[in-house]
Amino acid sequence: MNKIQTIGEASNTAFKYLHEFNPRNYSSFWSRVSRLATERWTKHNVANRELTGSQRNVLTHQLTSIFSNTRGAVTQFGPRDLTQTAHAIAKIVKMVNVRVSQGRRLDRMQQVFRYIIIGRQSSPREDDDDDDGDIFQSIANTSLGILPEFEARYLSNLAYANAIASSVPTFDDGSTLFDHIAEKSIPLLTEFQPQELANLVWSFEKAGASNAGLFEKVADHIVSLDNIAEFKPLELSNILSAYAKADQANPPLFQKVANYIVSLDNLHTFRPEDLSNVVHALATADEAHPRLFEKVSNRIITLGNLKSFKPHQLSHVLWAFSKAGESNPKLHVRIADHIYLFCKLELFEPSDLSAVLLALGTVEGSHHRTRFLFQKVADHMVESDEFDSFEPREISDVLEAYATADVVHPRLFARLHAHVNAHVDSTSLGENARRNLVWAHEKAEQV
């Protein structure tokens, strides 16, 4: 399989020898297809060019047979092949789902995967030999019977696969696969590697299967460690983020991680995602740590540029500092300058854009270019006419930001006032937002 360069080649080979396949062959096939799919959609591999109609028909027939055989054969799989197969198929599901959620067109290869794999998750087909059309449920059913045989890494990988596929398999007694993974994992926590621990709690939060007992035991385990230097920045940030999003408050854990980060000579190994996730998690969990916020702000301020930060990461940083009460005009000005000079505002989600404005509007002593950004955002909102994509809370935050910063933009205020009157229940805005709407309307009429 390693010498195969295209999904078509992998499918042809597997289909030819399908009658000889064992569990390791199945898991290896899906792992190879998953890797080729990643290369196809991220690196635009020439060998994986768009399929013709006839090629799509052949591939659909072959992959349908391979997929059906895989689902039927999982009852014979062991822990390694179950988790490897689940992870590979989950990556394909995630890639297709992301493209669909972004409103982007699926090419013929992606259409094949959506038809064969994702379509079966919602309803079994008439030609299925098995009444259970969900591959992840099939894998879960088999896993449940042999879960005592799972090593720590397999437990983590199984949870991760289901999380990225947005799958929470449920059993007849009402319990979920995640319930059983938690029960099995707790006695084995000392056997988990840092990445496996991070993936475990991240997966539970991502799947909406938060387990207070598991989160408590994982936190106790990490806090008990003499040194957490083996944890990479991504792992530390994902752990804190999982606890914050799952509303699993654990001050000892947050303080231990924050103290460790502060003790480092520098934050050069922390990517923008790591920096934003750490401060966002602390702010979300209401965990105060001024020295950590100072260290993160110093790192961001001293960067040559902020082009490696995605819009939502910039928004998360600003929101976190504002929420934590850690005012830092230099940081706010640096980010405001970057957004004003280099960012395409259409790449910002309404929630991120409103959070940026609200955070900048509350900073005392901010540079005059912060006001330039307010003008740029207002022009963008008016010209793009995207008010329909703003939730009432986001409209409220925009009004609050402009009122707090005392920045007047008559066209924006007039459009906001008209939009709210026509499309928004004013009671959903709250008293403060209604007061700011009146202020904006009066300002618009004075000009």
Side-chain angles (χ1 to χ4, degrees):
M1 279 291 175
N2 289 332
K3 295 181 179 180
I4 291 175
Q5 298 301 311
T6 70
I7 295 173
E9 290 176 7
S11 179
N12 282 331
T13 302
F15 186 73
K16 181 178 180 180
Y17 296 102
L18 192 57
H19 61 286
E20 300 177 7
F21 262 37
N22 58 37
R24 190 57 43 82
N25 295 141
Y26 282 111
S27 61
S28 296
F29 168 78
W30 287 111
S31 292
R32 186 58 182 163
V33 167
S34 177
R35 284 194 292 272
L36 289 170
T38 301
E39 294 172 3
R40 171 187 174 84
W41 297 332
T42 60
K43 300 179 181 179
H44 307 291
N45 191 333
V46 176
N48 282 313
R49 63 174 66 89
E50 176 71 300
L51 298 174
T52 65
S54 60
Q55 288 174 329
R56 180 182 62 180
N57 293 338
V58 171
L59 189 64
T60 299
H61 172 68
Q62 291 177 344
L63 287 178
T64 297
S65 295
I66 297 169
F67 183 79
S68 295
N69 279 32
T70 302
R71 200 178 66 246
V74 295
T75 57
Q76 306 301 316
F77 286 17
R80 173 182 169 178
D81 295 315
L82 284 169
T83 54
Q84 186 174 331
T85 301
H87 185 253
I89 294 177
K91 286 175 64 179
I92 296 173
V93 170
K94 178 185 177 182
M95 285 187 285
V96 173
N97 282 342
V98 166
R99 196 170 183 89
V100 171
S101 68
Q102 294 173 343
R104 300 169 66 187
R105 185 184 70 86
L106 298 179
D107 65 24
R108 285 173 174 167
M109 181 69 75
Q110 294 158 350
Q111 291 170 11
V112 169
F113 282 126
R114 189 183 190 192
Y115 170 79
I116 294 173
I117 301 176
I118 299 176
R120 292 170 183 268
Q121 308 313 308
S122 56
S123 61
R125 302 191 187 284
E126 293 180 359
D127 60 348
D128 281 343
D129 296 329
D130 189 339
D131 289 337
D132 184 2
D134 187 340
I135 183 65
F136 297 104
Q137 184 67 54
S138 298
I139 290 175
N141 291 342
T142 300
S143 299
L144 184 62
I146 60 173
L147 211 58
E149 301 175 21
F150 276 61
E151 300 173 13
R153 57 177 171 164
Y154 297 140
L155 291 168
S156 177
N157 290 343
L158 185 59
Y160 184 79
N162 281 274
I164 64 174
S166 301
S167 170
V168 183
T170 304
F171 304 109
D172 291 340
D173 62 358
S175 64
T176 70
L177 175 64
F178 283 88
D179 294 331
H180 294 277
I181 291 176
E183 181 181 1
K184 174 61 178 175
S185 297
I186 289 175
L188 302 177
L189 289 179
T190 58
E191 300 178 18
F192 280 76
Q193 296 299 313
Q195 182 181 5
E196 294 160 1
L197 281 174
N199 284 349
L200 186 66
V201 293
W202 180 92
S203 300
F204 271 72
E205 188 284 320
K206 178 69 174 177
S210 181
N211 185 296
L214 175 67
F215 274 71
E216 180 182 1
K217 293 299 184 180
V218 170
D220 290 345
H221 169 65
I222 296 174
V223 171
S224 70
L225 297 175
D226 294 332
N227 193 321
I228 57 174
E230 291 185 1
F231 286 78
K232 297 177 181 178
L234 176 62
E235 294 155 3
L236 293 173
S237 65
N238 279 350
I239 288 171
L240 293 186
S241 184
Y243 275 78
K245 290 180 179 179
D247 196 22
Q248 296 290 334
N250 196 292
L253 172 66
F254 277 75
Q255 292 300 312
K256 176 153 188 135
V257 174
N259 288 338
Y260 168 72
I261 294 173
V262 169
S263 73
L264 297 173
D265 292 336
N266 57 66
L267 301 182
H268 293 169
T269 58
F270 282 69
R271 303 171 304 162
E273 178 185 6
D274 305 327
L275 295 171
S276 64
N277 279 349
V278 165
V279 293
H280 191 268
L282 263 72
T284 300
D286 290 322
E287 288 293 336
H289 204 293
R291 290 190 300 151
L292 180 133
F293 278 86
E294 180 183 8
K295 195 175 186 76
V296 170
S297 66
N298 289 339
R299 171 59 180 164
I300 296 175
I301 291 170
T302 57
L303 287 172
N305 63 70
L306 304 184
K307 293 182 179 180
S308 57
F309 280 79
K310 295 180 180 179
H312 74 274
Q313 293 163 354
L314 295 170
S315 170
H316 284 181
V317 169
L318 289 174
W319 178 89
F321 274 78
S322 178
K323 173 70 162 52
E326 297 291 342
S327 179
N328 191 312
K330 289 184 178 180
L331 173 68
H332 285 69
V333 167
R334 180 71 198 283
I335 294 179
D337 281 354
H338 173 75
I339 296 174
Y340 177 76
L341 295 171
F342 301 109
C343 289
K344 296 180 179 180
L345 296 182
E346 57 267 24
L347 299 179
F348 284 77
E349 294 291 335
S351 59
D352 294 327
L353 208 52
S354 60
V356 166
L357 294 174
L358 193 60
L360 293 175
T362 59
V363 178
E364 296 182 3
S366 59
H367 195 272
H368 67 278
R369 272 203 293 266
T370 297
R371 300 178 70 85
F372 292 162
L373 178 59
F374 272 77
Q375 295 293 334
K376 179 178 179 178
V377 171
D379 290 340
H380 165 72
M381 291 181 64
V382 171
E383 293 168 4
S384 64
D385 196 20
E386 60 179 24
F387 296 116
D388 289 342
S389 61
F390 278 74
E391 298 292 335
R393 172 61 184 274
E394 293 157 0
I395 292 176
S396 174
D397 287 346
V398 169
L399 290 168
E400 176 75 14
Y402 278 85
T404 303
D406 195 25
V407 176
V408 177
H409 194 287
R411 286 196 301 152
L412 173 63
F413 293 170
R415 293 295 298 278
L416 275 175
H417 191 270
H419 175 76
V420 170
N421 285 340
H423 304 289
V424 179
D425 179 1
S426 60
T427 59
S428 66
L429 291 176
E431 181 179 350
N432 193 50
R434 292 196 296 272
R435 184 168 55 250
N436 288 329
L437 186 61
V438 172
W439 169 84
H441 183 60
E442 292 176 347
K443 289 289 186 180
E445 288 188 331
Q446 290 173 8
V447 178

